[in-house]
Amino acid sequence: MKEAKILAEYIKGTLPPDSFYTTFKGQYSEGFDVKKDLTRIGVVNQTTMLASDTQAIADYLKGTMLETHGLTETPANGNGAPTSTNNPVASTGPSAPSTASAPPLAPSSIGDYFADTRDTLCYATLDNQSAVIGLLDTPADLAIVVGGYNSSNTSHLVELCEEKMPTYFISSEERSSPNRRSYIIIS
């Protein structure tokens, strides 16, 4: 979330654009233009993060886009789309005639600035993490998580369980995690 908050400052224009390339060195693609490429964004889940962390970042950056573009989350126009409070109108120059009969410009919506990418969250990962979070409200003496060591999802399930109780991470009957504080070998 720390980096998301810094990124938000670049989006809002409160940090100088040129410093972005130092702050996020090695974290952006070649040709990335901070002045152009942060005008419309989306957040995609990386399975090395908890789904809830990704959602929190997405919600934070969506709020940043709402604030930056003067949008409200609650529709004020009755058509279900958030409305703009600053509704910028492109200048047509001093010689353009004023036409009272011209239709008003449609208000901006959050979709113009923030892509809804919630469907990039792996449903199985989200289901497993949500189930474990719910399970942690149940009193238990220990948790046993069985899964692969190279699985980010399994690692996150272990991390969630470790917050509440002793947790055993098993990838096979021959091997348990040497990196965890507790382990068990099943034979």
Side-chain angles (χ1 to χ4, degrees):
M1 182 61 89
K2 180 181 175 185
E3 287 182 330
K5 289 181 177 182
I6 295 169
L7 181 62
E9 296 305 313
Y10 286 105
I11 291 169
K12 292 188 276 187
T14 56
L15 288 176
D18 291 341
S19 70
F20 172 90
Y21 302 102
T22 303
T23 303
F24 289 102
K25 184 177 181 177
Q27 295 177 264
Y28 55 87
S29 58
E30 186 175 330
F32 185 87
D33 182 345
V34 69
K35 294 176 187 173
K36 177 182 80 160
D37 295 328
L38 291 178
T39 56
R40 187 172 196 284
I41 64 169
V43 177
V44 179
N45 178 256
Q46 172 58 32
T47 57
T48 57
M49 292 181 71
L50 284 168
S52 58
D53 292 346
T54 301
Q55 191 60 55
I57 289 169
D59 292 345
Y60 185 83
L61 291 175
K62 180 179 180 181
T64 297
M65 297 308 269
L66 287 165
E67 176 187 339
T68 300
H69 297 289
L71 301 171
T72 59
E73 185 75 52
T74 306
N77 60 6
N79 70 3
T83 58
S84 172
T85 56
N86 66 358
N87 197 8
V89 178
S91 172
T92 55
S95 62
S98 173
T99 57
S101 62
L105 292 176
S108 297
S109 72
I110 189 61
D112 293 334
Y113 305 101
F114 188 83
D116 181 0
T117 56
R118 285 175 291 174
D119 63 349
T120 65
L121 293 171
C122 171
Y123 295 112
T125 297
L126 187 57
D127 287 348
N128 288 341
Q129 291 176 5
S130 297
V132 167
I133 290 168
L135 178 69
L136 293 176
D137 290 334
T138 305
D141 295 326
L142 67 100
I144 299 173
V145 179
V146 180
Y149 286 107
N150 60 349
S151 167
S152 295
N153 185 40
T154 302
S155 296
H156 288 311
L157 298 179
V158 170
E159 289 169 8
L160 289 168
C161 291
E162 283 182 329
E163 291 177 10
K164 295 271 188 158
M165 65 191 79
T167 301
Y168 300 93
F169 183 11
I170 302 167
S171 71
S172 70
E173 58 184 87
E174 292 87 28
R175 187 171 160 200
S176 63
S177 174
N179 298 326
R180 300 293 176 188
R181 66 173 186 263
S182 303
Y183 67 90
I184 186 169
I185 298 175
I186 310 247
S187 48

